[in-house]
């Protein structure tokens, strides 16, 4: 049985004051016991979140890391070892906003994935197709290519200590969600791709769905056999809504 994970990606949102409010709300949540919960604030607020969430069962992660694992001369970047030192448990790699707006390619993403793991962090590899690719019927091919690049660079064993997040680009921040059936089809294809290389790794890896997940849509998505939780954007900025999504993963 895979333990569900619900992670809140705060993206580039927050101020010292609003983060403090959000943490206050998170501390008050009744969270289900059988679910891993994490939040991913902007780097500036990671320490604030870790201090504020001390003693609460909410892990903290980052939204990105440098290609080099250790500290050094790399202006503007943050090393996975520094995130681990700060107390992070997870780090997103390959979010579509970084792939599309910042031109991050599969080579860079594989290096970040490896850097994270070498420092004991759990990489959350984000994959997903654009609207054009979706309309052209290329969804599964695109996602398999993105995952295949990491398998090729690091071996399928790398997924023994990693999480995958399927996030169709057309569903991110748009209010459009893949139907549970559509999402399950992609999640099933991802698991089959990994199973072709290593059945044990495929069975164990958590595959999250992301893209306009709200409390109202979460339970049905999380009820699908290969959907092991969610990566939540906008709805994770509201503690009550986020808490309801976490509880949907526990039911
Ligand atoms: P939304 O939930 O705001 O659509 O964002 C999803 C996402 O990109 C999480 O990483």
């Amino acid at each position: 049985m895979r333990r569900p994970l619900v992670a809140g990606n705060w993206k580039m949102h927050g101020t010292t004051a609003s983060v403090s409010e959000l943490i206050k709300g998170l501390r008050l949540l009744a969270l289900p016991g059988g679910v891993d919960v994490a939040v991913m604030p902007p780097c500036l607020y990671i320490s604030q979140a870790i201090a504020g969430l001390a003693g609460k069962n909410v892990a903290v992660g980052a939204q990105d890391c440098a290609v080099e694992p250790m500290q050094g001369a790399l202006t503007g970047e943050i090393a996975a070892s520094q995130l681990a030192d700060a107390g992070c448990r997870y780090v997103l790699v390959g979010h579509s906003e970084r792939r599309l707006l910042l031109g991050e390619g599969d080579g860079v993403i594989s290096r970040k994935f490896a850097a994270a793991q070498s420092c004991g962090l759990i990489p959350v590899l984000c994959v997903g197709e654009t609207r054009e690719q979706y309309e052209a019927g290329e969804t599964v091919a695109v996602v398999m290519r993105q995952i295949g690049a990491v398998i090729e660079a690091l071996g399928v064993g790398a997924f023994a200590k990693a999480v995958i997040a399927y996030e169709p680009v057309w569903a991110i921040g748009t209010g459009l969600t893949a139907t549970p059936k559509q999402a399950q089809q992609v999640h099933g294809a991802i698991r089959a791709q990994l199973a072709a290389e290593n059945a044990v790794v495929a069975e164990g890896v958590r595959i999250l769905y992301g893209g306009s997940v709200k409390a109202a849509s979460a339970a049905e998505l999380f009820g699908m056999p290969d959907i092991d939780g969610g990566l939540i954007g906008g709805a994770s900025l509201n503690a009550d809504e986020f808490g309801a999504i976490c509880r949907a993963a526990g039911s």
Side-chain angles (χ1 to χ4, degrees):
M1 241 338 242
R2 293 177 295 271
R3 190 179 161 87
L5 167 65
V6 177
N9 173 11
W10 294 358
K11 306 193 178 184
M12 200 169 66
H13 293 285
T15 62
T16 306
S18 75
V19 166
S20 167
E21 277 305 302
L22 186 46
I23 289 170
K24 235 188 262 172
L26 291 171
R27 288 203 68 92
L28 293 172
L29 293 178
L31 293 172
V35 177
D36 288 337
V37 177
V39 293
M40 290 140 171
C43 267
L44 265 179
Y45 305 115
I46 282 174
S47 293
Q48 188 185 349
I50 287 174
L53 291 167
K56 184 81 184 168
N57 233 348
V58 178
V60 176
Q63 299 170 16
D64 183 42
C65 68
V67 292
E68 294 294 339
M70 306 312 286
Q71 56 178 294
L74 196 46
T75 303
E77 292 292 279
I78 296 179
S81 57
Q82 294 173 311
L83 297 173
D85 176 55
C88 286
R89 178 159 171 75
Y90 300 94
V91 58
L92 299 181
V93 295
H95 193 281
S96 61
E97 285 150 16
R98 301 192 62 86
R99 289 182 192 259
L100 296 169
L101 299 174
L102 302 173
E104 272 191 19
D106 288 325
V108 159
I109 290 163
S110 293
R111 288 178 68 192
K112 292 183 173 188
F113 189 113
Q117 281 189 328
S118 76
C119 298
L121 297 175
I122 298 173
V124 179
L125 175 69
C126 303
V127 298
E129 83 285 7
T130 62
R131 167 171 284 287
E132 293 69 35
Q133 291 165 332
Y134 170 70
E135 283 169 356
E138 294 167 1
T139 298
V140 169
V142 167
V143 166
M144 285 181 73
R145 200 160 62 229
Q146 291 168 335
I147 291 174
V150 177
I151 295 177
E152 198 166 307
L154 308 175
V156 72
F159 286 94
K161 286 189 177 154
V163 173
I164 295 169
Y166 168 56
E167 301 200 299
V169 176
W170 50 269
I172 294 178
T174 57
L176 299 171
T177 318
T179 64
K181 203 169 142 209
Q182 276 176 329
Q184 166 58 30
Q185 197 188 4
V186 180
H187 284 227
I190 292 171
R191 207 176 300 285
Q193 178 184 16
L194 295 170
E197 311 255 349
N198 185 320
V200 175
V201 168
E203 197 45 43
V205 71
R206 291 181 289 189
I207 307 175
L208 314 183
Y209 172 78
S212 296
V213 178
K214 304 280 183 282
S217 56
E220 214 190 326
L221 284 161
F222 299 164
M224 303 310 281
D226 289 298
I227 301 183
D228 308 310
L231 182 56
I232 318 301
S236 73
L237 297 171
N238 179 308
D240 290 331
E241 179 84 8
F242 185 63
I245 294 170
C246 294
R247 286 190 293 278
S251 57

